[in-house]
Amino acid sequence: MSPEITKHYNGKPPLRAVPPIERFTPITPHMAISPTVSVVVPAMNEAENLPHVFATLPQWIDEIVLVDGNSKDDTVAVARKLRPNVRVVHQTGKGKGDALSAGFAACTGDIIVMIDADGSTDGREIIQFVGALVTGADFVKGSRYAAGGGSDDLTFTRTFGNKALTRLVNKMYGTSYSDLCYGYNAFWARHLDVLNLDCDGFEIETLMNIRAFKAGLKVHEVPSHERCRIHGESNLHAVRDGIRVLKTIIREWRSTPAPVVHEPAAAARAADQGAA
């Protein structure tokens, strides 16, 4: 775009300048983005699963942040062999929530995507999350119940609990979520402050969804298909973690929301968050 186009024309505000072509990362033959993308992978003893997980991650992502939860196996070594440029964060606390918070803090990208290390989330779906963000969303959550989504791993107990908790949140907060307890999400890194994540366990997914809504963020759901864990056993305990989620919902209902961080007004900042 010519520089003149960004000037005032007939008294109208200037148009946003287009970033230089070298700032765009090709995603498909018909789409490129200028924001940088970080993917956070919390892992504990997932050496056998990482080759499958990393194989699904798009080559166009800018950064992989592996948060190692004091693994006893070769999780870190395998990750570095698969992606020599992987950023490894050694978790000092415990729990998935603590691991994700550490990973988010280490990210340098404009967009942060969180996936699981057990093979249940498909990195090839990241394009849907990023696409929704660059076209206007602030926070994008995966849904196994949206049209096109699904799960190979939901037991009766998990299904019943998730649906009950989802209905509760929708009623209490006026949201219209279809899937509350799912760990495939993405958001603009500038919203980390309003999310203000301060929990340790699996309830972090619910906390993010509630705080995103309370902060006035534009939340968008995209369909996602959950697969079964490939190797090993899950650390999720449906009843115990379901109770923690319920306590989180009630606690958040009683608290006040953090002020929303609006999109930067400066044209130079805004230009960095586009798609072509």
Side-chain angles (χ1 to χ4, degrees):
M1 179 179 290
S2 170
E4 287 78 12
I5 298 180
T6 64
K7 297 179 180 178
H8 282 73
Y9 181 72
N10 287 339
K12 295 181 180 180
L15 297 177
R16 189 176 73 182
V18 175
I21 190 65
E22 60 269 16
R23 290 294 304 276
F24 285 91
T25 301
I27 295 180
T28 73
H30 309 290
M31 180 181 180
I33 62 169
S34 61
T36 52
V37 179
S38 298
V39 176
V40 177
V41 188
M44 183 173 68
N45 300 325
E46 301 287 6
E48 289 186 284
N49 293 323
L50 286 184
H52 303 277
V53 175
F54 279 26
T56 71
L57 296 177
Q59 292 297 320
W60 48 262
I61 62 175
D62 299 278
E63 178 180 61
I64 301 174
V65 178
L66 179 89
V67 185
D68 178 55
N70 301 303
S71 297
K72 304 302 182 184
D73 64 3
D74 295 329
T75 292
V76 173
V78 170
R80 285 178 169 152
K81 181 178 180 180
L82 294 169
R83 296 287 180 96
N85 62 340
V86 66
R87 296 191 65 189
V88 176
V89 174
H90 296 282
Q91 184 180 0
T92 56
K94 294 182 179 180
K96 183 177 183 180
D98 179 81
L100 285 171
S101 295
F104 296 160
C107 288
T108 62
D110 301 310
I111 290 173
I112 298 176
V113 184
M114 49 188 274
I115 68 170
D116 292 331
D118 59 3
S120 61
T121 48
D122 189 347
R124 287 167 291 205
E125 294 178 356
I126 289 177
I127 188 173
Q128 301 177 61
F129 292 81
V130 172
L133 288 170
V134 299
T135 53
D138 294 310
F139 184 95
V140 181
K141 58 191 300 297
S143 173
R144 295 162 291 187
Y145 299 104
S151 177
D152 303 326
D153 194 41
L154 279 174
T155 62
F156 173 81
T157 302
R158 289 179 61 202
T159 299
F160 176 81
N162 186 29
K163 287 187 175 182
L165 293 167
T166 301
R167 283 195 292 267
L168 177 63
V169 166
N170 286 341
K171 185 174 182 61
M172 292 176 68
Y173 294 93
T175 53
S176 56
Y177 294 152
S178 64
D179 194 353
L180 185 69
C181 307
Y182 188 43
Y184 207 163
N185 300 297
F187 54 94
W188 290 104
R190 67 175 182 268
H191 295 311
L192 264 177
D193 287 344
V194 295
L195 294 177
N196 189 27
L197 303 173
D198 54 2
C199 62
D200 298 331
F202 286 94
E203 69 274 13
I204 190 169
E205 294 136 8
T206 296
L207 182 67
M208 294 177 74
N209 293 333
I210 292 176
R211 287 192 175 168
F213 173 77
K214 289 173 66 176
L217 302 186
K218 296 177 183 177
V219 181
H220 182 79
E221 284 191 341
V222 296
S224 177
H225 191 98
E226 179 187 38
R227 291 163 174 77
C228 294
R229 164 179 279 275
I230 301 173
H231 299 287
E233 296 182 1
S234 174
N235 293 313
L236 175 69
H237 297 277
V239 176
R240 180 197 67 191
D241 291 311
I243 293 173
R244 292 185 62 149
V245 169
L246 180 59
K247 289 180 178 179
T248 298
I249 293 170
I250 296 173
R251 183 192 70 189
E252 286 301 301
W253 175 252
R254 295 171 176 170
S255 66
T256 56
V260 63
V261 176
H262 297 286
E263 184 174 0
R269 290 285 300 277
D272 287 342
Q273 298 166 358

